[in-house]
Every structure is written in structure tokens, then in C-alpha cells.
Amino acid sequence: MADPSEVLHGKVLVVDDRPDRLLVLERMLLRAGYTSVASTLDPRKTRELHLENRYDLIVIDLEMAATDGLLVMESLKDVETEGGLPVLVLSSEADRLRRALEAGARDFLGKPFTEVEALTRIRNLLEAGLLRRESRSYGELLEQTSVSVREGEARLASVVGSAMDAIITVDAGQRVVVFNAAAERMFRCSREVVMGRPLDALIPSRFRDGHRHHVERFGATGVTSRSMGALGAISGLRANGEEFPIEASISQVEVAGQTLYTVILRDVTERRRAEQEIRSLNAELEERVRLRTVELEAANQDLEAFTYSVSHDLRAPLRTVDGFSQAVLEDFGPQLPEEGQRLLRTIRAGAQRMGGLIDDLLAFSRLGRQSLSKPVVTDMTELVRQAVEELGPEREGRKVDLRIAELAPAAGDLLLIKQVWVNLLSNALKYTRNRETAIVEIGSTVEEGENVYFVRDNGTGFDMRYAKKLFGVFQRLPRSEDFEGTGVGLAIAQRIVQRHGGRIWAVAAVEQGATFRFTLPKGAGS
Amino acid sequence: MSPGQVVEILVVEDNREDLELSLRALRRANLRNRVEVARDGAEALDFIFCEGRHAGRRIEDAPRVVLLDLKLPKVDGLEVLQRIRADPRTRTIPVVVLTSSKEQRDVVESYRLGVNSYVVKPVSFEQFASAVQQLGLYWLLLNEPPAPES
């Protein structure tokens, strides 16, 4: 039913060349509540007015002097193309009315007519027009909807068809209604074979009942979707009888009162194989690590035993050599010629030197085994002062110009880093011994992510060809024969720096001094 | 050593050469007369606890100091130390470990067992002799032992 107020808003045109008749109709309509009533005394303008205003109803009196009402109707035909004209004709002649109806008028009113008759007819016509329009727009909507449904279906079909995962839909009776291309490939089975049939052919027999119950239970939950893999390993069965592991999720949807279950399946054979491979590689790796650890522990124990033995057993005979040489000198010195005494002194010097080597070697080896203490942010300037203090005896009686810049703080094992400074400074003092004034500069630069510290001296320097040997244990450069020391100091410095994650290197030229640099991680706040 | 004379220093040392050097150093400090030597841990324990060869000794006549090597045949130095400290009669005897070992675990273990001092034998004879002499002099002349318990 059309809305009554909408009917009263209907646009009406009254066409009559007689003003008195026109006025009657107009007044009647306005009285009845119509809000949009127009009229014309010139029937020839009807077409023009309609084109402009698109009336819902045109009332034409067929008994006009100026023109034939039928011609007026004729003029409207190319405007109103959808069968029939929204025209109500008035006439007292039945024949005229009949012709008008044939010409497309929607209704007629025979004269004379009562007001009730006229208003009823007009209202019905307007109402019918409204309903017609409404149903037309519904029809259009329906058309659009079915187009988009068709498009949606096509899109869905192409998604389902091109999906990598197998998509299978079964109805409430668990018969297949959708079986996509991926499913065909996965099960090696064409859709014609399975459509409308139970899933049984796709499930290994021992799982069939379980699967059926699972789907039924799932249906009873009313949950819209869930993963099936969570229920443990499930398997599919290919047409060739081969079983394969799958991972699946299931969803249910009600369509036209029928529940459809859609299962999306993935063949995880390849992934399972890869996982298995990873597991076995991991296990293998762990075994290798375990073996290597055992080996390393054994090697460490060997090293420990060796160190212990060196510490105990090698020093004792040296003491014998030294002690008894001394005993000879003490007890038989007067009887020995000077050369004999010199030879014994040489023997003693050798023994003592070897003792020093052993001590340094042990210190070096301990450094490799002991763990670093918790790194603390270290005031490097203060640390250098302490190192200089320790080296007091080495500076005695010499002119040493120590130039210590303000140093960037570093984080590390305090005692070990001090050892680095002691060793580098001792090295610098040693090789500047023949300079009238030894100049030793200590400074630092802050680089990306690390601090670089340096010790520069004006000493004898060295040939860069031997730079690589500098930090090796007992690797002494040719020049060093003139200088005391065991050649372990730089090796120890290197090991400490490396254990802190830093690097150490040196640049020098013969007789032009040397610069040793090392890096350390930045101290907090620097 | 003449019988009846109280032993003041017990040197426990298996290494013949080290022993000779030790005795030489003590002799030079005029401490040689009252020295007893044990060549392994078992001998040292026999002497201290008056057993075996030393059964006739009185345990009260404890040495003023024991210079103890760690690596010893039969019973090692750490065990000797432990036994001395475990017995109330010998607990207060001063024991100085005199060893070649600089190994931290030996040092730590010795102190844990209650050693009075831990001295590493230097390679140089002068330093070694000086260490032995100083030890002897310190424990014999400067150190005040507790009165014997009775």
C-alpha cells in the first residue's frame, strides 16, 4: 500500500480549454488535499509541460474546442515509452472514451461524474503509479543484486579453484558438494568421482569413523570454525592408496536451512619431512657440540695438568742448576779461574731467565683460562696513573716525559686492563732507554661504538715487516736482543684486549718510535 | 742432631736437590743443628705423631715450624697439613708451605686447611736461600708459640 501522504504529493496536471471546468477540477483536487496541482488552458502545451515536470497524472477533458484530446495523448507517446500513458480522460461520449483507452489512457471518467467518483479514480491512479514505480525500483535492485551475486559466485569459484589448499565442502549428510582443483591434485582424484559421495574414499579406513564423529561433534558445537590439526595428526588417502599427513581447519555455515561443512586441507608431507630433517640436524648438531665439549674439556684438563706440571716440575731443576752453580761459586770460588766463574754465572743467568719464561708462560696460560670479572666502567686516566706508579723502578734515573691526556672511560675487568697499560708502558719505557729524554704519550679517541687508546713513544721503533710477530708468545723482534724481557708482555696485552672484544695493533718505523693502539667497548655514559 | 735435643724445624721435602739447597741455606743462617728432615708425607706424619721410627718421641716436643712441600710421595703435603690441623695436640704447630707451585688452587686449598704461610720457591738460589733463612728466623726467633696444652 502506498503512503497516503505520498499520493497527495502526486503531481497532477489538468488539461482543459474551458476555464470554468478547469477551475472546478482544480478546486476539487486542492480541497481533497493535493499539494501539487497544475493546469493549462492550452492543450498544445501539454507535452512541453510534461517533459518539464514529469506529472504523475494528466487529466484531459476530451471535449475541447481548440484541439482533440486524442492528439494531445498522441503527443505524449514518445515521452512515455513504458507502455500506457499516465492519463485520465473525461468525456460524456462512450466512443470517445473507448478510443482514448485504446490510445493508451490509463482510465476514464464518464461525464457527468460525482466528486467522490473523480477523487477515487484519481487517487487510485496515483497510487497505482506509485506502486508501479516502487516495484520497478525493486526490480532494478533485484537485477543488480543478482548480478553481484553472480559476480561473487564467479570470484569465489575462481578463488576456490585457484587456491593452493584443498577445499572440500560436504553437506549435512557428509557428501561432497565442493571439491576444488587443489583437492583433485592432492587426492589424485577428479571431482566427478567424489561429488555427491561420502568422504570415505579420501580418508584412511582407520580414521573414517573418527572423522565422521568429529564432524558431527563439530556440527553440534555451533562453533563456526576450528583447526583440526589440534586434534592430533590426521591423514589423507590418495586415490593411489598413498597416505599423507594433512593439516586442516573446518568451518560450518548454514545455507538455506542446510548445514555445510567446509574443510581446508594442506598437504604437510613436505613440511613434516623438513621438520624431521631439522630435528635430526639439530640432534646431530647437539651430539657434535657434546662431543666437542667433551674434547674441549679433555683438552682443558690436559692443559691444566700440563700447566701444573710445568709450574711444579720444571722450576725445580732450574733451581738446582742455579743453586748448585751458586754453591760451586761460594764453596770453590777462590780456586776457580775468572773464566770458570764467568761460565758459572752464565749458567745461572740462563736458568733464571728460563724461570722467568716459565712464570710468564704460566701467567699467559692462566689468562686464557680464568674468566673475566664483571665489567665495570673504568676511569682510564686513573688506571694509567696507577700503571705509571707501578713502573716507578723502570723510570728510575731516567728522563721520561710522560704526557697523559684525559682518557675516555671504558668498561672491563679493572685489573686486567691495568695490566695492558703496565705492559704497553713498560714496553715503551724499555725501547726508549737509549733516548736522552724518553717521550711517552698516552691518549684516546672515541670512535663509532668503541674507544681507541694509544701509547706512543720516541724509541727505537721497529720494521713494520715484523709487525705480525709482535704479539706472538715469545715472538721477539730482532731488535729486542739488546733489551731484557721474555716477549710475553705484548701477547698478554693482546689476549686481555681480545677477551674484552677489542683489537690491538702497532705502527712504527725503525728509529722513529712506535705507536701501540687498542680498542675497548665504550664505558657507560661515554 | 744429638739425641734429646728438641727439633725446631721439620723440613718435608722429597726433592734431593731442593733439600740440599734448603739445608745449605739454613746452615748459612746457623739454623742447621735443630733440623729434622722427612722425605715424604708418611715420614712427616710419623715424626709429628711419634709413630714408627719416631715412636720414642714425645708429641709435646712439637717442632717450632714445619716447612712443607706439597708434591710428596705416599702422602701429599695437603693431607699432611690436614692431619696436623685435625689433631688437637698438633693443631697449633706452625706450618709453612714451601713449594714450586704457583697454582691458585694449591694456594687456596692450603689456606682453607689452615696453613700459616704459603711461599713459592724462587728459581734463583739467592732468593730461595733468603726465603728459607727468613722463614727459619721468623718462626724460630720472632714468632711466639702458644704455651703447650697440658
Side-chain angles (χ1 to χ4, degrees):
Chain A
M1 219 20 225
D3 183 347
S5 74
E6 231 177 302
V7 171
L8 290 174
H9 291 313
K11 288 157 80 177
V12 182
L13 176 69
V14 183
V15 183
D16 202 333
D17 60 354
R18 284 208 8 213
D20 55 335
R21 287 195 311 222
L22 198 73
L23 205 62
V24 170
L25 276 172
E26 232 179 342
R27 285 212 178 126
M28 181 185 75
L29 286 170
L30 290 173
R31 257 200 320 274
Y34 287 91
T35 58
S36 181
V37 181
S39 60
T40 179
L41 284 165
D42 185 355
R44 282 163 303 201
K45 286 204 176 143
T46 306
R47 182 175 186 274
E48 193 184 326
L49 283 167
H50 185 52
L51 266 177
E52 193 176 322
N53 297 305
R54 289 287 168 179
Y55 300 105
D56 297 309
L57 181 64
I58 303 171
V59 181
I60 302 174
D61 195 314
L62 294 176
E63 282 144 13
M64 290 184 290
T67 185
D68 186 351
L70 289 173
L71 287 177
V72 174
M73 285 174 57
E74 196 65 33
S75 75
L76 295 173
K77 275 199 172 149
D78 65 324
V79 182
E80 291 291 335
T81 53
E82 290 176 26
L85 302 169
V87 170
L88 171 69
V89 289
L90 312 177
S91 180
S92 53
E93 295 171 33
D95 185 48
R96 231 189 255 266
L97 289 173
R98 186 181 49 78
R99 276 190 284 139
L101 287 176
E102 281 169 3
R106 198 146 283 152
D107 208 347
F108 70 94
L109 201 54
K111 292 189 201 175
F113 50 81
T114 66
E115 187 170 324
V116 175
E117 230 178 325
L119 286 175
T120 305
R121 200 68 51 95
I122 288 169
R123 201 190 63 228
N124 284 346
L125 281 171
L126 284 170
E127 209 171 72
L130 273 176
L131 289 174
R132 219 175 7 257
R133 262 213 312 274
E134 240 169 64
S135 82
R136 200 162 44 237
S137 67
Y138 282 137
E140 280 163 11
L141 195 63
L142 192 63
E143 177 65 18
Q144 283 170 9
T145 308
S146 66
V147 165
S148 42
V149 165
R150 274 195 301 277
E151 283 173 2
E153 272 174 354
R155 266 201 298 277
L156 185 63
S158 88
V159 168
V160 169
S162 63
M164 297 295 285
D165 292 336
I167 299 173
I168 302 171
T169 299
V170 295
D171 60 18
Q174 301 208 19
R175 279 179 299 270
V176 176
V177 294
V178 171
F179 198 75
N180 76 344
E184 291 186 309
R185 287 193 298 274
M186 187 179 295
F187 290 95
R188 313 267 157 82
C189 170
S190 77
R191 57 193 298 279
E192 287 74 26
V193 175
V194 290
M195 288 297 274
R197 291 172 200 247
L199 276 174
D200 289 359
L202 310 176
I203 301 170
S205 55
R206 63 183 188 285
F207 294 131
R208 271 171 207 159
D209 287 345
H211 182 266
R212 186 171 289 276
H213 290 141
H214 173 66
V215 173
E216 280 163 5
R217 271 201 308 279
F218 173 67
T221 62
V223 174
T224 49
S225 68
R226 119 176 352 163
S227 159
M228 289 176 92
L231 297 165
I234 52 176
S235 298
L237 180 65
R238 296 194 222 279
N240 62 10
E242 184 191 342
E243 268 188 40
F244 60 102
I246 52 184
E247 206 176 70
S249 64
I250 184 169
S251 61
Q252 59 179 317
V253 63
E254 192 142 315
V255 176
Q258 202 202 17
T259 304
L260 294 179
Y261 301 99
T262 296
V263 183
I264 299 180
L265 303 156
R266 190 166 289 182
D267 182 343
V268 292
T269 308
E270 209 33 45
R271 203 175 72 201
R272 287 280 152 79
R273 201 190 53 70
E275 283 169 358
Q276 184 54 42
E277 196 172 326
I278 287 171
R279 267 198 298 277
S280 77
L281 281 174
N282 267 341
E284 202 178 301
L285 194 63
E286 265 168 36
E287 176 62 11
R288 285 224 297 264
V289 167
R290 199 187 60 76
L291 282 177
R292 184 58 54 87
T293 307
V294 168
E295 280 171 23
L296 277 176
E297 275 167 1
N300 236 352
Q301 273 167 14
D302 284 353
L303 183 64
E304 198 131 325
F306 171 75
T307 308
Y308 192 78
S309 155
V310 164
S311 158
H312 259 102
D313 301 348
L314 252 52
R315 286 159 54 95
L318 283 175
R319 198 158 42 246
T320 306
V321 171
D322 185 60
F324 284 83
S325 303
Q326 174 67 13
V328 171
L329 282 172
E330 280 173 6
D331 295 355
F332 306 102
Q335 289 136 272
L336 274 177
E338 180 53 34
E339 178 62 5
Q341 293 188 18
R342 192 190 66 80
L343 293 177
L344 277 172
R345 282 196 299 273
T346 308
I347 289 169
R348 292 194 63 207
Q352 284 174 22
R353 190 167 148 61
M354 186 166 168
L357 287 173
I358 289 172
D359 286 351
D360 282 352
L361 188 58
L362 288 176
F364 183 69
S365 125
R366 259 200 301 278
L367 199 58
R369 286 176 292 142
Q370 92 189 31
S371 51
L372 297 181
S373 72
K374 198 170 176 300
V376 290
V377 178
T378 302
D379 179 348
M380 290 293 254
T381 318
E382 172 57 26
L383 215 53
V384 167
R385 285 205 193 94
Q386 290 175 17
V388 168
E389 194 85 9
E390 272 184 35
L391 292 168
E394 295 189 31
R395 283 179 296 145
E396 221 159 278
R398 294 179 52 189
K399 271 206 254 174
V400 179
D401 182 1
L402 271 173
R403 301 171 184 174
I404 308 172
E406 196 63 35
L407 300 174
D413 185 316
L414 200 76
L415 287 177
L416 291 181
I417 292 177
K418 184 163 100 180
Q419 190 63 48
V420 174
W421 285 116
V422 168
N423 291 8
L424 291 183
L425 290 172
S426 162
N427 195 68
L429 290 172
K430 189 191 297 177
Y431 290 104
T432 50
R433 189 146 14 88
N434 52 14
R435 296 290 187 262
E436 192 181 334
T437 302
I439 301 171
V440 181
E441 288 173 83
I442 296 138
S444 69
T445 55
V446 176
E447 312 268 322
E448 184 95 2
E450 59 186 13
N451 295 335
V452 184
Y453 301 91
F454 66 84
V455 175
R456 182 180 297 131
D457 66 55
N458 64 337
T460 55
F462 57 86
D463 189 328
M464 280 302 281
R465 276 183 296 174
Y466 306 117
K468 262 190 266 174
K469 287 186 157 189
L470 218 49
F471 298 98
V473 186
F474 301 139
Q475 291 278 12
R476 308 191 69 221
L477 304 191
R479 64 158 183 169
S480 58
E481 273 159 26
D482 306 331
F483 298 89
E484 78 288 355
T486 56
V488 181
L490 290 178
I492 285 177
Q494 182 184 46
R495 184 166 273 199
I496 292 172
V497 168
Q498 284 175 347
R499 291 202 60 190
H500 280 84
R503 294 163 288 127
I504 188 166
W505 69 100
V507 177
V510 175
E511 291 306 322
Q512 288 175 35
T515 304
F516 284 80
R517 286 192 173 81
F518 65 97
T519 66
L520 283 178
K522 277 184 179 170
S526 65
Chain B
M1 196 181 78
S2 42
Q5 198 176 5
V6 173
V7 165
E8 301 205 297
I9 302 175
L10 173 64
V11 177
V12 190
E13 177 63 82
D14 69 313
N15 181 306
R16 191 185 309 276
E17 289 79 19
D18 272 0
L19 177 61
E20 191 173 337
L21 292 175
S22 295
L23 294 179
R24 184 180 173 88
L26 290 172
R27 186 169 60 238
R28 289 211 311 209
N30 296 318
L31 296 169
R32 176 65 185 92
N33 288 344
R34 288 165 292 181
V35 172
E36 174 71 27
V37 171
R39 299 300 307 281
D40 59 48
E43 265 185 43
L45 290 173
D46 274 355
F47 178 82
I48 287 163
F49 292 101
C50 310
E51 285 162 4
R53 190 160 71 79
H54 300 283
R57 231 175 60 79
R58 296 195 320 146
I59 199 162
E60 293 79 21
D61 299 331
R64 297 284 298 275
V65 65
V66 178
L67 299 183
L68 181 65
D69 194 10
L70 287 185
K71 263 182 80 173
L72 292 170
K74 297 183 187 171
V75 179
D76 80 13
L78 289 174
E79 192 178 337
V80 172
L81 174 60
Q82 188 188 6
R83 295 272 294 276
I84 293 173
R85 288 293 178 257
D87 193 314
R89 296 168 302 170
T90 58
R91 180 176 291 159
T92 57
I93 299 174
V95 177
V96 174
V97 164
L98 187 60
T99 174
S100 298
S101 171
K102 278 186 169 183
E103 280 298 294
Q104 202 56 27
R105 58 176 183 184
D106 285 338
V107 180
V108 170
E109 187 62 10
S110 298
Y111 276 107
R112 198 183 66 77
L113 291 174
V115 78
N116 296 81
S117 193
Y118 188 104
V119 176
V120 178
K121 294 177 190 170
V123 165
S124 151
F125 175 71
E126 268 113 5
Q127 290 174 39
F128 178 65
S130 156
V132 171
Q133 286 162 12
Q134 281 174 29
L135 284 173
L137 290 170
Y138 172 79
W139 290 105
L140 265 55
L141 301 179
L142 291 175
N143 189 47
E144 190 64 44
E149 290 172 50
S150 52

